[in-house]
Amino acid sequence: IMNSQDLVNYKYKSYKFDGEWKDLLGQPSTNFHMMVFGSPKQGKSILCVQFAKYLSENFGEVLYVASEEGFSATLQSKVRDFSMANGNLDFANFREYSEIEEAVTNGSYDFLFIDSVNYIRMSPEDVENLKKVNKRMAIITIQQATKDGKYKGDTAYAHNCDIIVKVKEGIAFAQGRFAAPAEMPIFDFEETEGNDDAGAGLGDSDYQTYDDR
């Protein structure tokens, strides 16, 4: 039990994000959970590696589990292209949940990226367990999307997280507990994809996926 006055005056630990990341995500608590989803080639992995770089350069140690890409030439290119290499950023090509749990249990990592929970076949309960084995760690889970643009998997994935980011046509649309709904460009979708319809259909409808939280 906490008195209402104590609750008002309680100081929660948070990350002091700045610039575009603050505009998109606010200043979340240190153990936040963010879910990122989108269809293939829309920009979700690029968003996440850029975020991993920002976190590792400014806030602590990051483990990025690249289960879908593995230690591939494409992952190597991303690390080079975005100048990501630094002592606070580790990559893993784990394919099993047990490997992730072992790596983060009572470990030094401040942030964990899982790309993707669908590929590793992780359940919402698995994600919640990771929060228990390392209570100070923030978790960013990446999920695939269905043909109609919604995230794949149980609705508990969305209900249990603090921030949801939908990536569509090179733009990240975020909604969560720490900031008003916002969007951030990731790359020029039309130039990258050569898609004549790029930019069409972006707007309020891209936030509707979150309304049932």
Side-chain angles (χ1 to χ4, degrees):
I1 299 175
M2 180 181 289
N3 180 265
S4 57
Q5 292 177 320
D6 294 333
L7 179 61
V8 169
N9 295 322
Y10 188 83
K11 302 296 183 182
Y12 289 93
K13 294 181 179 179
S14 62
Y15 287 115
K16 305 305 180 185
F17 291 173
D18 57 9
E20 62 184 3
W21 295 109
K22 180 183 178 181
D23 293 341
L24 184 69
L25 306 174
Q27 296 185 329
S29 59
T30 53
N31 60 349
F32 70 90
H33 174 198
M34 182 170 91
M35 183 181 86
V36 181
F37 74 98
S39 300
K41 311 302 181 185
Q42 299 293 297
K44 61 182 182 295
S45 290
I46 293 177
L47 172 74
C48 289
V49 296
Q50 290 177 340
F51 190 35
K53 175 186 177 181
Y54 174 72
L55 293 173
S56 64
E57 290 179 344
N58 295 280
F59 298 102
E61 296 188 41
V62 176
L63 176 61
Y64 195 109
V65 179
S67 61
E68 292 193 23
E69 283 190 278
F71 296 143
S72 63
T74 57
L75 179 61
Q76 183 185 60
S77 294
K78 288 175 182 175
V79 174
R80 285 176 175 171
D81 293 346
F82 295 114
S83 301
M84 295 178 64
N86 68 75
N88 279 341
L89 177 57
D90 293 341
F91 286 90
N93 63 346
F94 298 150
R95 299 295 199 275
E96 302 290 338
Y97 166 76
S98 59
E99 296 176 295
I100 300 175
E101 182 179 6
E102 181 178 357
V104 302
T105 299
N106 300 319
S108 61
Y109 291 111
D110 302 290
F111 306 94
L112 171 66
F113 288 75
I114 305 173
D115 190 0
S116 67
V117 296
N118 307 101
Y119 191 89
I120 301 178
R121 296 183 176 85
M122 287 178 59
S123 67
E125 291 74 24
D126 289 334
V127 178
E128 292 305 300
N129 187 61
L130 290 176
K131 297 177 184 179
K132 295 177 182 178
V133 300
N134 192 329
K135 294 182 179 180
R136 68 182 182 81
M137 182 178 66
I139 301 176
I140 298 88
T141 53
I142 297 95
Q143 293 182 230
Q144 300 166 355
T146 61
K147 291 182 179 179
D148 59 356
K150 297 181 179 180
Y151 61 86
K152 284 186 179 180
D154 196 294
T155 56
Y157 285 117
H159 289 300
N160 294 342
C161 70
D162 303 300
I163 305 167
I164 299 176
V165 179
K166 177 181 179 179
V167 179
K168 178 181 177 182
E169 297 181 353
I171 300 176
F173 298 86
Q175 183 167 325
R177 305 175 195 268
F178 309 105
E183 62 184 69
M184 183 180 83
I186 306 167
F187 60 82
D188 191 319
F189 183 81
E190 187 168 5
E191 284 188 7
T192 305
E193 300 294 326
N195 188 334
D196 293 337
D197 295 325
L202 301 180
D204 292 341
S205 63
D206 291 293
Y207 298 104
Q208 293 177 0
T209 306
Y210 320 143
D211 290 346
D212 62 352
R213 293 185 60 206

